[in-house]
Amino acid sequence: MSKKIQAIYLWWHKPVIDQELLQSLPNLKVIANSGVGMDHLDLKLIAGFGVKMANCPHAVSTSTADTGMALLLASARRLVEGYHIVISSCMEYCEANFLGAEVTGATLGIIGMGSIGYKIALRAKAFEMNILYHNRTRRKEQEEQAVGATYCEKMDDLLRQADFVMVVVSLTPQTHKLIGKREMELMKPTATLINISRGAVVDQEALVTALQTGVIRAAALDVTYPEPLPRDHTLLKLKNVIVTPHLGIRTDKATYMITEEAVENILAALNGLPIPNEVLPS
């Protein structure tokens, strides 16, 4: 079948795209990824075989933004801890000092204001949050005004002010361990770190230390490295952490929309048309 294959639709990084596979598919024209992140692909290697690449940025933005806000709210109000208290065999009452953090009026710092980051800002506005953001390029003034967001040219300024810091960037060599020991020490001791980008954007060892020593209040992670974490990993044992299994785009509607977007990319490539969401090697 190798000579008949002209397109690959990647779902959750499968199949693995390596040199051996590319050499075995002489008529391959396009690889369509079922998501935004392309860090699992060697873009230069693929381009070297004359194969085009595409992702699905539009289909995933809404469901991923929902996941980010769900993690923020769950962590702030300690929902997972509360659930375990309720189902405990020895529960008689909830301690009076079992207190969460107020979301309304709090400051949310969004690192990465692309389509997902902007949709998070829209949701945060509905919760009457103060919104700061850091991005490689500043949004248009009317876009900032629409969500009430303030631009921070330096990420450090955002980290110092935010009650909740949400990381929404692509994983690149520049963003690898973007949030490390120094960055966490800049954050408020009452702050919460939320990561819905890629696990390696945050230095996990530094995060464990920060959570254990009270450098920051809590963390909520939809992504880790590796995925899943080893069963004995410290992050899975701390009460001030919520870890979910990369649920960002896992809804029935998002799955359908991703497939539609990927098929649109594939058909364009096979028909010699501009690919709507082509990704070029940097």
Side-chain angles (χ1 to χ4, degrees):
M1 295 293 291
S2 63
K3 292 183 180 180
K4 294 184 178 181
I5 295 174
Q6 294 181 298
I8 292 176
Y9 176 31
L10 279 182
W11 187 260
W12 287 100
H13 304 184
K14 301 294 183 181
V16 175
I17 307 297
D18 55 20
Q19 186 161 336
E20 182 181 359
L21 179 65
L22 292 167
Q23 288 174 336
S24 72
L25 303 175
N27 295 313
L28 182 65
K29 293 183 179 179
V30 62
I31 295 172
N33 186 49
S34 60
V36 180
M38 304 287 277
D39 49 279
H40 55 291
L41 296 172
D42 187 333
L43 303 185
K44 290 183 179 178
L45 173 68
I46 296 168
F49 280 85
V51 176
K52 295 184 180 296
M53 295 159 286
N55 63 0
C56 298
H58 305 297
V60 305
S61 59
T62 296
S63 57
T64 306
D66 286 348
T67 300
M69 286 305 297
L71 285 170
L72 187 156
L73 293 165
S75 179
R77 301 310 303 270
R78 302 173 69 179
L79 296 188
V80 175
E81 284 183 83
Y83 168 75
H84 285 294
I85 289 172
V86 167
I87 65 172
S88 170
S89 59
C90 59
M91 187 213 176
E92 295 181 5
Y93 57 89
C94 185
E95 297 288 347
N97 63 352
F98 184 81
L99 303 174
E102 195 75 33
V103 172
T104 300
T107 298
L108 169 63
I110 302 171
I111 300 175
M113 190 67 118
S115 58
I116 297 172
Y118 195 76
K119 288 191 175 183
I120 289 166
L122 284 167
R123 286 154 176 73
K125 182 185 179 185
F127 281 90
E128 301 174 27
M129 300 187 80
N130 303 309
I131 302 167
L132 307 176
Y133 79 97
H134 171 75
N135 203 44
R136 286 179 299 178
T137 56
R138 185 171 181 172
R139 284 269 183 172
K140 295 178 181 178
E141 185 177 353
Q142 57 267 37
E143 292 175 331
E144 291 180 344
Q145 291 176 349
V147 294
T150 301
Y151 179 62
C152 293
E153 185 176 354
K154 295 180 180 179
M155 188 175 71
D156 288 3
D157 293 336
L158 179 151
L159 294 171
R160 291 187 182 98
Q161 298 177 68
D163 300 301
F164 299 90
V165 175
M166 194 170 308
V167 187
V168 202
V169 298
S170 300
L171 177 59
T172 66
Q174 292 72 37
T175 61
H176 183 260
K177 293 189 177 180
L178 177 70
I179 307 298
K181 180 177 183 290
R182 188 190 76 86
E183 288 72 27
M184 292 178 210
E185 289 177 348
L186 289 174
M187 294 169 62
K188 297 178 180 180
T190 54
T192 299
L193 177 66
I194 302 134
N195 186 12
I196 56 171
S197 53
R198 286 291 186 270
V201 170
V202 173
D203 184 334
Q204 283 185 175
E205 291 186 10
L207 176 61
V208 168
T209 301
L211 291 166
Q212 289 176 323
T213 59
V215 171
I216 62 173
R217 171 185 170 273
L221 315 170
D222 190 39
V223 287
T224 58
Y225 66 92
E227 291 180 358
L229 287 171
R231 296 300 84 193
D232 60 348
H233 198 285
T234 308
L235 279 176
L236 301 180
K237 302 174 182 178
L238 297 175
K239 288 186 177 181
N240 55 343
V241 182
I242 296 174
V243 183
T244 50
H246 210 144
L247 298 177
I249 61 173
R250 294 197 186 196
T251 70
D252 50 359
K253 184 177 180 180
T255 299
Y256 187 88
M257 290 172 62
I258 288 166
T259 305
E260 281 193 319
E261 195 167 357
V263 169
E264 185 181 358
N265 287 322
I266 288 170
L267 291 177
L270 297 184
N271 289 296
L273 301 172
I275 302 174
N277 302 304
E278 184 172 3
V279 175
L280 301 173
S282 56

